[in-house]
Structure formats: structure tokens, C-alpha cells
């Protein structure tokens, strides 16, 4: 027998605020780089002369032959329909050939998966390899998306911080000290976002042999492979330690090299069983990447590289300018980056002082003051697991770069 007194209380039609969003999504930190870029653009739209060093985005247009390929592809009705979820065969082959040339290994197209930008490749790699309770050794400073993608799997990141005195490159001894029975994988990003540091062949070999000895997966992000300077070569870990082929996933994309950030084409390359599983995941997430963008990516990978070389030369010129100017800012210490398009000064010498009425004790506060008082946007090191630093992207026009750093120097010289 039931009665009104014994009936369960009905659930509220309006759930509590903390129940409306799942915990795993609530706990994702927003992208700090995109947040800084958005704030800078909002201030510019409001009429303030803000110079943004936040976004890692080339300021060049996509090479014309790539744009032309996309225009032709848009006219072809074959591209107006669904295509294979793992990617167009022509693009998978182009990626396989590119990675084969870089690594010296024979990479089959079945080992490639075309994704909606590099971020999807990162997410799907961790989702495919990790289970709750796993640990991932994450050298810091790190790109902001890595820890969030790891946590979404139920695994956890184990940061290993290397400072400016090490050119932000961890030693194997540091990595080994972080390894536990729960360690499943280790992340490698060389050339590095956010530091611009590049591992030597010797460092890569030592890193790879250590990972292989302990049976760890290596997730290697090589999206900046074409952007190195001062004669420093890019070295793929699979070229130096080919025995890692069955336990390595290589991530890449066209965004940085070919000024194609808005086209959203990335990839993951790895053992066939991993790629097949990730392809299955992608079939439920997004299905195929935009066909027009894929055709453009084919043109980028198989076409002339002269536009890439021209952009690299411009980045190199800007790199030398920004290092010179940042080195003159009071309290800044600036290792010279040899890859990507970022400078990552240690700004701890500028902390602990008052700047225009605000006492600055952390790099987050320093970034805020620089934005508000100098109208220059940079990303604080806390976003990359490295408090006491700022990241400046030098993928912007030479004149803006020079003026922006001059503003920072003037502010901190007061």
C-alpha cells in the first residue's frame, strides 16, 4: 500500500547548477591562448590599439596554389557528399609519404587518420590509448590542450618542469623520477609550443630509448617540424628510435607550416590497430573532415615548398627581433628559441614590484597589467604549467612586433 506520505519526492524540474553540466566537462579549463586572443580582439574592436602576441597563428595568407586547389575542389560534385571517415585516400597517402620521408620508415596509408585539426588528433589519441587511473608524463612547459585532453579520459598528467636554465628541455633523469607503475605514456613536442625549444638528435635518442625500455607509449607532436632556425635540424623520434614504431603516435597538420589554421586539417599516424580504433571513435564524433579542406591539404603536402620557405625566413627575422627586444626588458630572461614561432621569457625578475599602482606577484598579474597599461596581449606561463613566464608569439607583422615589445619595455622601465 502506498500513500502520499510514503511516495518519493519528485525531482526538481530545475536541477541544481552543478548538476546541469557533467563534472568532466565542468572541470575543463578554457584555452588560455584563445581566451587571450579573444580579449585582445574585443579590445581592438572597442577602439583600443591592442597588439596581440597570444595566438599561435601565422599572419600570412594560405599559399595561392592551395587556395586554387580548394576552389577547384568546391566545383567538383564529388566533394559535395560524405567521404571516408578516416580521410580521403589521396590525403592519407600524402601524409603517409610525408611521414615516411621524415622518419625513414615505410608508413602505409592505413596507419593515418585525418582529423579536424591537430586538437582532434590530440584528443582522439589520448582517448584511444588511456584508461582511468593511467598516468601520462607531460614535460612542462606544455601546450595547454594536453592536460585537458588527458583528464577527459580519466587519466592524469604528471608534469615534469624544465626551466630556462635547461632550455626548457627535460632530462631522462627527470622523466624517470616521474615514472610509476601507472605510467602509460609520455608526450614529446619538439619544436615546442610554448617555448620554441628543439631537442637534438642525441636528446631525442635518449628520450626514445628510455621510453622503449619501459614500454611506454610516445605521443609525439611534430606540427612545427618545418619551422627550425640557426641550422638546427628537426629530428623525428621515429627516425632515431625506429623500434618505437609500434608504440608511438605521431601528430601533425597543415595549420602552422602552410598558414592554414582556419582550414582545420590535422592527422594522427601510428600502428594500424590504434588508428583503426581512433577511426571508429571519429566515425561517431565527426565523420569525415571537410572535403574541400582535405583537397587543399593534398595540394599543400604535394605542392611547391617555396611559400613555406618564405614564411620561415620571415619568422626567423621576427625571432631575432623579438629576442633582442625582450632581452632588453627589465626583469626578463630570454632563452633563444630555435623552432616554432614563440618566445618564452622567464619574467620572475619583473615580479614582486608595483607597476602603475598594482603590485604584481605572479605572471598572470603581470600579463593583466601589460594588457591594461601597455595594450599588449601575451599569455601567462601558468597556462603552460610554468608560472613566472610569458609566451609571446612572433607570428605577427614586423612593425606590430617591434612596437608591442617596445611598449612592454617602456612600461617595465618606469
Amino acid at each position: 500500500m502506498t500513500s502520499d506520505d510514503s511516495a518519493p519526492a519528485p525531482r526538481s524540474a530545475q536541477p541544481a547548477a552543478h548538476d546541469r553540466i557533467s563534472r568532466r566537462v565542468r572541470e575543463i579549463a578554457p584555452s588560455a591562448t584563445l581566451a587571450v586572443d579573444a580579449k585582445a580582439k574585443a579590445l581592438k574592436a572597442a577602439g583600443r590599439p591592442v597588439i596581440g602576441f597570444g595566438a599561435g597563428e601565422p599572419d600570412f595568407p594560405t599559399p595561392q596554389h592551395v587556395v586554387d586547389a580548394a576552389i577547384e575542389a568546391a566545383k567538383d560534385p564529388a566533394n559535395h557528399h560524405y567521404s571516408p571517415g578516416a580521410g580521403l585516400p589521396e590525403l592519407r597517402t600524402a601524409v603517409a609519404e610525408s611521414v615516411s620521408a621524415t622518419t625513414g620508415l615505410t608508413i602505409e596509408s592505413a596507419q593515418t587518420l585525418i582529423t579536424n585539426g591537430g586538437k582532434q588528433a590530440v584528443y582522439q589519441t589520448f582517448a584511444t590509448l588511456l584508461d582511468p587511473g593511467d598516468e601520462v608524463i607531460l614535460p612542462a612547459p606544455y601546450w595547454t590542450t594536453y592536460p585537458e585532453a588527458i583528464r577527459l579520459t580519466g587519466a592524469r598528467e604528471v608534469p615534469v618542469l624544465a626551466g630556462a636554465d635547461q632550455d626548457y628541455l627535460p632530462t631522462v633523469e627527470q622523466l624517470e623520477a616521474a615514472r610509476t607503475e601507472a605510467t602509460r605514456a609520455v608526450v614529446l613536442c619538439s619544436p615546442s609550443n610554448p617555448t620554441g625549444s628543439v631537442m637534438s638528435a642525441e636528446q631525442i635518442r635518449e628520450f626514445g630509448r628510455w621510453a622503449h625500455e619501459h614500454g611506454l607509449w610516445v605521443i609525439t607532436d611534430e606540427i612545427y617540424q618545418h619551422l627550425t632556425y640557426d641550422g638546427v635540424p628537426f629530428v623525428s623520434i621515429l627516425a632515431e628510435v625506429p623500434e618505437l614504431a609500434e608504440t608511438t603516435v605521431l601528430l601533425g597538420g597543415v595549420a602552422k607550416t602552410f598558414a592554414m589554421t582556419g582550414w582545420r586539417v590535422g592527422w594522427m599516424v601510428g600502428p594500424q590497430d590504434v588508428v583503426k580504433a581512433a577511426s571508429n571513435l571519429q566515425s561517431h564524433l565527426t565523420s569525415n573532415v571537410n572535403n574541400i579542406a582535405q583537397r587543399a591539404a593534398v595540394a599543400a603536402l604535394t605542392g611547391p615548398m617555396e611559400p613555406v620557405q618564405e614564411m620561415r625566413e620571415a619568422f626567423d627575422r621576427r625571432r631575432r627581433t623579438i629576442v633582442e627586444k625582450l632581452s632588453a626588458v627589465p626583469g626578463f630572461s630570454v632563452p633563444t628559441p630555435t623552432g616554432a614561432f614563440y618566445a618564452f621569457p622567464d619574467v620572475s625578475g619583473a615580479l614582486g614590484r608595483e607597476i602603475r599602482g598594482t603590485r604584481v606577484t605572479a605572471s598572470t598579474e603581470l600579463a593583466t597589467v601589460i594588457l591594461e597599461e601597455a595594450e599588449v596581449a601575451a599569455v601567462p606561463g601558468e597556462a603552460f604549467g610554468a608560472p613566472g613566464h610569458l609566451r609571446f608569439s612572433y607570428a605577427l607583422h614586423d612593425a606590430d612586433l617591434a612596437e608591442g615589445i617596445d611598449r612592454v619595455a617602456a612600461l617595465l622601465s618606469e
Side-chain angles (χ1 to χ4, degrees), residues 19-268:
D19 290 332
R20 290 175 60 82
I21 308 297
S22 70
R23 176 174 296 178
R24 67 184 181 281
V25 172
R26 285 203 314 268
E27 293 178 352
I28 298 173
S31 169
T33 53
L34 293 182
V36 168
D37 187 53
K39 186 171 184 178
K41 288 176 178 175
L43 290 172
K44 288 184 74 171
R48 294 182 63 179
V50 172
I51 296 176
F53 291 82
E57 179 173 38
D59 62 320
F60 301 102
T62 301
Q64 189 59 48
H65 71 279
V66 176
V67 176
D68 290 342
I71 292 171
E72 290 304 310
K75 298 175 182 177
D76 185 350
N79 296 315
H80 301 174
H81 306 283
Y82 291 130
S83 60
L88 292 173
E90 299 92 329
L91 181 52
R92 297 181 76 186
T93 296
V95 169
E97 290 176 351
S98 175
V99 175
S100 295
T102 299
T103 64
L105 302 177
T106 300
I107 304 297
E108 306 292 340
S109 61
Q111 293 177 254
T112 69
L113 170 60
I114 309 304
T115 62
N116 289 278
K119 284 186 178 181
Q120 186 174 8
V122 169
Y123 169 76
Q124 289 181 174
T125 297
F126 288 131
T128 301
L129 295 180
L130 302 178
D131 284 314
D134 287 340
E135 293 179 353
V136 179
I137 295 176
L138 183 59
Y142 47 69
W143 182 43
T144 58
T145 293
Y146 296 144
E148 305 305 327
I150 292 167
R151 292 172 200 160
L152 278 170
T153 71
R156 76 179 189 94
E157 79 280 9
V158 180
V160 174
L161 180 62
D165 59 325
Q166 298 176 223
D167 195 23
Y168 304 116
L169 298 173
T171 65
V172 164
E173 289 74 21
Q174 287 177 295
L175 299 174
E176 176 61 19
R179 188 177 63 85
T180 71
E181 289 299 314
T183 304
R184 171 78 166 164
V186 61
V187 176
L188 172 62
C189 182
S190 175
S192 165
N193 175 6
T195 67
S197 299
V198 182
M199 276 192 170
S200 68
E202 181 180 359
Q203 290 170 316
I204 289 281
R205 280 195 299 274
E206 191 176 12
F207 186 109
R209 289 169 180 169
W210 167 80
H212 186 258
E213 176 187 353
H214 297 290
L216 303 181
W217 281 95
V218 175
I219 294 93
T220 177
D221 189 339
E222 301 185 356
I223 199 165
Y224 293 97
Q225 70 178 83
H226 291 286
L227 297 175
T228 62
Y229 317 102
D230 291 341
V232 174
F234 163 74
V235 180
S236 175
I237 195 168
L238 288 176
E240 294 298 319
V241 191
E243 55 267 37
L244 280 171
E246 285 301 308
T247 50
T248 294
V249 177
L250 183 153
L251 309 176
V254 294
K256 312 299 183 176
T257 298
F258 299 98
M260 294 178 68
T261 53
W263 297 75
R264 312 312 303 142
V265 180
W267 53 77
M268 54 184 290

